[in-house]
PDB file of all heavy atoms in Angstrom:
ATOM      1  N   LYS A1248      10.762  18.346  -1.740  1.00 25.00           N
ATOM      2  CA  LYS A1248       9.555  17.581  -1.803  1.00 25.00           C
ATOM      3  C   LYS A1248       8.692  17.801  -0.497  1.00 25.00           C
ATOM      4  O   LYS A1248       9.218  18.244   0.459  1.00 25.00           O
ATOM      5  CB  LYS A1248       9.883  16.088  -1.925  1.00 25.00           C
ATOM      6  CG  LYS A1248      10.431  15.711  -3.243  1.00 25.00           C
ATOM      7  CD  LYS A1248      10.630  14.223  -3.209  1.00 25.00           C
ATOM      8  CE  LYS A1248      11.206  13.727  -4.564  1.00 25.00           C
ATOM      9  NZ  LYS A1248      11.409  12.273  -4.486  1.00 25.00           N
ATOM     10  N   GLU A1253       4.888  20.237   4.901  1.00 31.00           N
ATOM     11  CA  GLU A1253       6.045  20.938   4.235  1.00 31.00           C
ATOM     12  C   GLU A1253       5.848  21.105   2.748  1.00 31.00           C
ATOM     13  O   GLU A1253       6.823  21.248   2.034  1.00 31.00           O
ATOM     14  CB  GLU A1253       7.303  20.138   4.519  1.00 31.00           C
ATOM     15  CG  GLU A1253       7.758  20.103   5.964  1.00 31.00           C
ATOM     16  CD  GLU A1253       8.980  19.340   6.145  1.00 31.00           C
ATOM     17  OE1 GLU A1253       9.561  18.926   5.154  1.00 31.00           O
ATOM     18  OE2 GLU A1253       9.358  19.078   7.314  1.00 31.00           O
ATOM     19  N   GLU A1254       4.612  21.093   2.317  1.00 36.00           N
ATOM     20  CA  GLU A1254       4.289  21.162   0.870  1.00 36.00           C
ATOM     21  C   GLU A1254       4.713  22.496   0.241  1.00 36.00           C
ATOM     22  O   GLU A1254       4.869  22.577  -0.957  1.00 36.00           O
ATOM     23  CB  GLU A1254       2.828  20.952   0.645  1.00 36.00           C
ATOM     24  CG  GLU A1254       2.006  22.035   1.344  1.00 36.00           C
ATOM     25  CD  GLU A1254       0.548  21.678   1.435  1.00 36.00           C
ATOM     26  OE1 GLU A1254       0.272  20.486   1.697  1.00 36.00           O
ATOM     27  OE2 GLU A1254      -0.291  22.522   1.204  1.00 36.00           O
ATOM     28  N   TYR A1283       6.048  33.800 -28.595  1.00 86.00           N
ATOM     29  CA  TYR A1283       5.105  34.880 -28.946  1.00 86.00           C
ATOM     30  C   TYR A1283       3.810  34.734 -28.210  1.00 86.00           C
ATOM     31  O   TYR A1283       3.237  33.615 -28.123  1.00 86.00           O
ATOM     32  CB  TYR A1283       4.801  34.842 -30.479  1.00 86.00           C
ATOM     33  CG  TYR A1283       6.028  35.088 -31.305  1.00 86.00           C
ATOM     34  CD1 TYR A1283       6.788  34.030 -31.834  1.00 86.00           C
ATOM     35  CD2 TYR A1283       6.478  36.420 -31.567  1.00 86.00           C
ATOM     36  CE1 TYR A1283       7.892  34.294 -32.613  1.00 86.00           C
ATOM     37  CE2 TYR A1283       7.581  36.640 -32.292  1.00 86.00           C
ATOM     38  CZ  TYR A1283       8.329  35.629 -32.810  1.00 86.00           C
ATOM     39  OH  TYR A1283       9.466  35.827 -33.577  1.00 86.00           O
ATOM     40  N   GLU A1296       7.290  39.581 -28.429  1.00 90.00           N
ATOM     41  CA  GLU A1296       8.323  38.767 -28.886  1.00 90.00           C
ATOM     42  C   GLU A1296       9.336  38.598 -27.769  1.00 90.00           C
ATOM     43  O   GLU A1296      10.026  39.522 -27.427  1.00 90.00           O
ATOM     44  CB  GLU A1296       8.987  39.326 -30.148  1.00 90.00           C
ATOM     45  CG  GLU A1296      10.003  38.445 -30.784  1.00 90.00           C
ATOM     46  CD  GLU A1296      10.527  39.058 -32.067  1.00 90.00           C
ATOM     47  OE1 GLU A1296      11.138  40.149 -32.010  1.00 90.00           O
ATOM     48  OE2 GLU A1296      10.322  38.490 -33.176  1.00 90.00           O
ATOM     49  N   ARG A1299      13.856  33.717 -25.822  1.00 79.00           N
ATOM     50  CA  ARG A1299      13.888  32.588 -24.895  1.00 79.00           C
ATOM     51  C   ARG A1299      15.274  32.399 -24.233  1.00 79.00           C
ATOM     52  O   ARG A1299      15.365  31.736 -23.183  1.00 79.00           O
ATOM     53  CB  ARG A1299      13.549  31.303 -25.656  1.00 79.00           C
ATOM     54  CG  ARG A1299      12.139  31.313 -26.178  1.00 79.00           C
ATOM     55  CD  ARG A1299      11.862  30.198 -27.151  1.00 79.00           C
ATOM     56  NE  ARG A1299      12.234  28.918 -26.652  1.00 79.00           N
ATOM     57  CZ  ARG A1299      12.436  27.836 -27.396  1.00 79.00           C
ATOM     58  NH1 ARG A1299      12.293  27.975 -28.702  1.00 79.00           N
ATOM     59  NH2 ARG A1299      12.757  26.759 -26.844  1.00 79.00           N
ATOM     60  N   ARG A1306       7.642  44.485 -27.738  1.00 92.00           N
ATOM     61  CA  ARG A1306       6.214  44.589 -28.019  1.00 92.00           C
ATOM     62  C   ARG A1306       6.010  45.263 -29.419  1.00 92.00           C
ATOM     63  O   ARG A1306       6.622  46.282 -29.689  1.00 92.00           O
ATOM     64  CB  ARG A1306       5.525  45.373 -26.893  1.00 92.00           C
ATOM     65  CG  ARG A1306       5.641  44.732 -25.578  1.00 92.00           C
ATOM     66  CD  ARG A1306       4.508  45.139 -24.630  1.00 92.00           C
ATOM     67  NE  ARG A1306       4.344  46.583 -24.473  1.00 92.00           N
ATOM     68  CZ  ARG A1306       3.415  47.124 -23.744  1.00 92.00           C
ATOM     69  NH1 ARG A1306       2.486  46.376 -23.116  1.00 92.00           N
ATOM     70  NH2 ARG A1306       3.368  48.475 -23.631  1.00 92.00           N
ATOM     71  N   CYS A1376      -4.350  26.856 -36.688  1.00 90.00           N
ATOM     72  CA  CYS A1376      -3.424  26.987 -37.790  1.00 90.00           C
ATOM     73  C   CYS A1376      -2.198  26.104 -37.497  1.00 90.00           C
ATOM     74  O   CYS A1376      -1.751  25.994 -36.331  1.00 90.00           O
ATOM     75  CB  CYS A1376      -3.006  28.490 -37.909  1.00 90.00           C
ATOM     76  SG  CYS A1376      -1.756  28.796 -39.128  1.00 90.00           S
ATOM     77  N   CYS A1385     -17.631  27.869 -39.274  1.00 85.00           N
ATOM     78  CA  CYS A1385     -18.377  29.129 -39.461  1.00 85.00           C
ATOM     79  C   CYS A1385     -19.817  28.691 -39.866  1.00 85.00           C
ATOM     80  O   CYS A1385     -20.030  27.983 -40.827  1.00 85.00           O
ATOM     81  CB  CYS A1385     -17.756  29.874 -40.633  1.00 85.00           C
ATOM     82  SG  CYS A1385     -18.534  31.499 -40.896  1.00 85.00           S
ATOM     83  N   GLU A1400     -10.495  25.213 -49.569  1.00 96.00           N
ATOM     84  CA  GLU A1400     -10.631  23.909 -50.176  1.00 96.00           C
ATOM     85  C   GLU A1400     -11.933  23.266 -49.664  1.00 96.00           C
ATOM     86  O   GLU A1400     -12.228  23.281 -48.469  1.00 96.00           O
ATOM     87  CB  GLU A1400      -9.448  23.016 -49.782  1.00 96.00           C
ATOM     88  CG  GLU A1400      -8.091  23.514 -50.307  1.00 96.00           C
ATOM     89  CD  GLU A1400      -6.895  22.710 -49.895  1.00 96.00           C
ATOM     90  OE1 GLU A1400      -6.991  22.058 -48.785  1.00 96.00           O
ATOM     91  OE2 GLU A1400      -5.931  22.715 -50.594  1.00 96.00           O
ATOM     92  N   PHE A1458     -10.154  13.553 -24.035  1.00 85.00           N
ATOM     93  CA  PHE A1458      -9.407  13.125 -25.243  1.00 85.00           C
ATOM     94  C   PHE A1458      -8.048  13.773 -25.261  1.00 85.00           C
ATOM     95  O   PHE A1458      -7.779  14.752 -24.570  1.00 85.00           O
ATOM     96  CB  PHE A1458     -10.196  13.338 -26.552  1.00 85.00           C
ATOM     97  CG  PHE A1458     -10.170  14.806 -26.984  1.00 85.00           C
ATOM     98  CD1 PHE A1458      -9.197  15.292 -27.768  1.00 85.00           C
ATOM     99  CD2 PHE A1458     -11.187  15.627 -26.542  1.00 85.00           C
ATOM    100  CE1 PHE A1458      -9.169  16.639 -28.206  1.00 85.00           C
ATOM    101  CE2 PHE A1458     -11.177  16.944 -26.930  1.00 85.00           C
ATOM    102  CZ  PHE A1458     -10.215  17.456 -27.785  1.00 85.00           C
ATOM    103  N   GLU A1486      -7.934   1.153 -32.085  1.00 91.00           N
ATOM    104  CA  GLU A1486      -7.733   0.020 -31.222  1.00 91.00           C
ATOM    105  C   GLU A1486      -8.027   0.309 -29.774  1.00 91.00           C
ATOM    106  O   GLU A1486      -7.891   1.430 -29.281  1.00 91.00           O
ATOM    107  CB  GLU A1486      -6.228  -0.447 -31.335  1.00 91.00           C
ATOM    108  CG  GLU A1486      -5.210   0.600 -30.958  1.00 91.00           C
ATOM    109  CD  GLU A1486      -3.814   0.164 -31.334  1.00 91.00           C
ATOM    110  OE1 GLU A1486      -3.631  -0.754 -32.155  1.00 91.00           O
ATOM    111  OE2 GLU A1486      -2.837   0.695 -30.738  1.00 91.00           O
ATOM    112  N   LYS A1512     -20.019   2.715  -1.631  1.00 88.00           N
ATOM    113  CA  LYS A1512     -19.476   2.322  -2.931  1.00 88.00           C
ATOM    114  C   LYS A1512     -18.847   3.550  -3.634  1.00 88.00           C
ATOM    115  O   LYS A1512     -19.387   4.686  -3.568  1.00 88.00           O
ATOM    116  CB  LYS A1512     -20.554   1.785  -3.887  1.00 88.00           C
ATOM    117  CG  LYS A1512     -20.090   1.248  -5.191  1.00 88.00           C
ATOM    118  CD  LYS A1512     -21.215   0.597  -5.971  1.00 88.00           C
ATOM    119  CE  LYS A1512     -20.731   0.073  -7.313  1.00 88.00           C
ATOM    120  NZ  LYS A1512     -21.806  -0.540  -8.126  1.00 88.00           N
ATOM    121  N   ALA A1531      -7.230   9.572 -12.710  1.00 97.00           N
ATOM    122  CA  ALA A1531      -8.456   8.876 -12.357  1.00 97.00           C
ATOM    123  C   ALA A1531      -9.115   9.574 -11.148  1.00 97.00           C
ATOM    124  O   ALA A1531      -8.390   9.906 -10.167  1.00 97.00           O
ATOM    125  CB  ALA A1531      -8.193   7.455 -12.074  1.00 97.00           C
ATOM    126  N   ILE A1580     -19.352  24.383  -2.126  1.00 91.00           N
ATOM    127  CA  ILE A1580     -20.297  24.998  -3.075  1.00 91.00           C
ATOM    128  C   ILE A1580     -20.127  24.257  -4.407  1.00 91.00           C
ATOM    129  O   ILE A1580     -19.073  24.240  -4.964  1.00 91.00           O
ATOM    130  CB  ILE A1580     -19.984  26.438  -3.252  1.00 91.00           C
ATOM    131  CG1 ILE A1580     -20.140  27.200  -1.873  1.00 91.00           C
ATOM    132  CG2 ILE A1580     -20.860  27.114  -4.239  1.00 91.00           C
ATOM    133  CD1 ILE A1580     -19.688  28.630  -1.890  1.00 91.00           C
ATOM    134  N   PHE A1629       9.042  19.798  -6.605  1.00 96.00           N
ATOM    135  CA  PHE A1629       7.739  20.366  -6.635  1.00 96.00           C
ATOM    136  C   PHE A1629       7.761  21.806  -6.185  1.00 96.00           C
ATOM    137  O   PHE A1629       8.485  22.115  -5.263  1.00 96.00           O
ATOM    138  CB  PHE A1629       6.763  19.539  -5.748  1.00 96.00           C
ATOM    139  CG  PHE A1629       5.441  20.203  -5.504  1.00 96.00           C
ATOM    140  CD1 PHE A1629       4.357  20.024  -6.355  1.00 96.00           C
ATOM    141  CD2 PHE A1629       5.261  21.106  -4.415  1.00 96.00           C
ATOM    142  CE1 PHE A1629       3.181  20.658  -6.152  1.00 96.00           C
ATOM    143  CE2 PHE A1629       4.049  21.722  -4.172  1.00 96.00           C
ATOM    144  CZ  PHE A1629       3.014  21.479  -5.093  1.00 96.00           C
ATOM    145  N   GLU A1660     -13.465  28.594 -11.842  1.00 71.00           N
ATOM    146  CA  GLU A1660     -14.619  27.944 -11.244  1.00 71.00           C
ATOM    147  C   GLU A1660     -14.741  26.510 -11.626  1.00 71.00           C
ATOM    148  O   GLU A1660     -15.172  25.623 -10.887  1.00 71.00           O
ATOM    149  CB  GLU A1660     -15.900  28.743 -11.553  1.00 71.00           C
ATOM    150  CG  GLU A1660     -15.979  30.054 -10.760  1.00 71.00           C
ATOM    151  CD  GLU A1660     -17.308  30.757 -11.041  1.00 71.00           C
ATOM    152  OE1 GLU A1660     -18.086  30.325 -11.822  1.00 71.00           O
ATOM    153  OE2 GLU A1660     -17.536  31.812 -10.366  1.00 71.00           O
TER     154      GLU A1660
END
Side-chain angles (χ1 to χ4, degrees):
K1248 288 184 182 179
E1253 293 179 9
E1254 62 194 41
Y1283 296 97
E1296 186 174 62
R1299 296 167 53 198
R1306 298 203 305 178
C1376 178
C1385 184
E1400 297 176 332
F1458 74 90
E1486 59 189 20
K1512 187 177 180 181
I1580 298 174
F1629 169 89
E1660 287 184 355

